[in-house]
């Protein structure tokens, strides 16, 4: 994974430490910018009220209040829980299709991509398309 220009992660671990702490699928997504197959993720259709945190470092990233049904195959959110929770960078890994990659601001783990102008009825007109394997859901206490 390329370093993020102008940003230093607050959580820094060696590649070996990440491999020991994460499952192979988690490592592939969070540390190598992989993508889980659509409609296979644990949180794609979940409606549980709570907070979604980074699987790599535990930083709160999104809340269930901003999760919406996009029918794209991955959990979708229209806004991060905190404006400083995620960072973005240009992703030109697909020829002819530049995208905006979303990373955890704390550990720089790859989360997914953000798209704009797709016509979803959300307050931000954005869709943060996030890999379930990059997240941990902490249900709200009743």
């Amino acid at each position: 994974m390329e370093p993020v220009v102008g940003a230093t992660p607050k959580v820094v671990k060696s590649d070996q430490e990440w491999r020991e702490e994460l499952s192979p699928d988690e490592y592939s997504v969070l540390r190598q910018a992989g993508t889980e197959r659509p409609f296979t993720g644990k949180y794609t259709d979940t409606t549980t009220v709570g907070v979604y945190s980074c699987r790599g470092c535990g930083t709160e990233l999104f809340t269930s209040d901003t999760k919406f049904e996009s029918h794209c195959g991955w959990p979708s959110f229209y806004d991060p829980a905190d404006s400083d929770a995620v960072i973005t960078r240009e992703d030109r890994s697909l020829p002819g299709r530049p995208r905006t990659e979303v990373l955890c601001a704390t550990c720089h783990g790859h989360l997914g991509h953000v798209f704009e102008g797709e016509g979803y009825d959300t307050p931000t007109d954005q869709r943060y398309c996030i890999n379930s394997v990059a997240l941990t859901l902490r249900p709200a206490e009743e």
Side-chain angles (χ1 to χ4, degrees), residues 97-100 113-118 125-129:
R97 276 188 68 197
R99 301 178 293 173
T100 301
H113 293 86
V114 62
F115 302 94
E116 294 186 55
E118 295 179 317
D125 197 27
Q126 293 181 315
R127 176 174 59 93
Y128 285 82
C129 183

Side-chain angles (χ1 to χ4, degrees), residues 39-70:
F39 301 103
T40 63
K42 180 177 182 178
Y43 303 125
T44 302
D45 297 318
T46 233
T47 57
T48 303
V49 175
V51 174
Y52 292 86
S53 299
C54 176
R55 180 82 47 105
C57 69
T59 297
E60 292 185 5
L61 302 172
F62 301 95
T63 66
S64 58
D65 294 341
T66 64
K67 188 173 188 288
F68 69 100
E69 291 297 325
S70 67

Side-chain angles (χ1 to χ4, degrees), residues 62-130:
F62 301 95
T63 66
S64 58
D65 294 341
T66 64
K67 188 173 188 288
F68 69 100
E69 291 297 325
S70 67
H71 308 286
C72 71
W74 294 272
S76 296
F77 304 87
Y78 62 79
D79 203 21
D82 178 333
S83 61
D84 294 330
V86 300
I87 55 177
T88 60
R89 68 178 169 191
E90 185 177 76
D91 175 359
R92 294 194 167 271
S93 62
L94 293 179
R97 276 188 68 197
R99 301 178 293 173
T100 301
E101 181 182 12
V102 179
L103 301 111
C104 171
T106 302
C107 70
H108 291 192
H110 171 81
L111 303 171
H113 293 86
V114 62
F115 302 94
E116 294 186 55
E118 295 179 317
Y120 290 104
D121 185 23
T122 62
T124 63
D125 197 27
Q126 293 181 315
R127 176 174 59 93
Y128 285 82
C129 183
I130 306 298

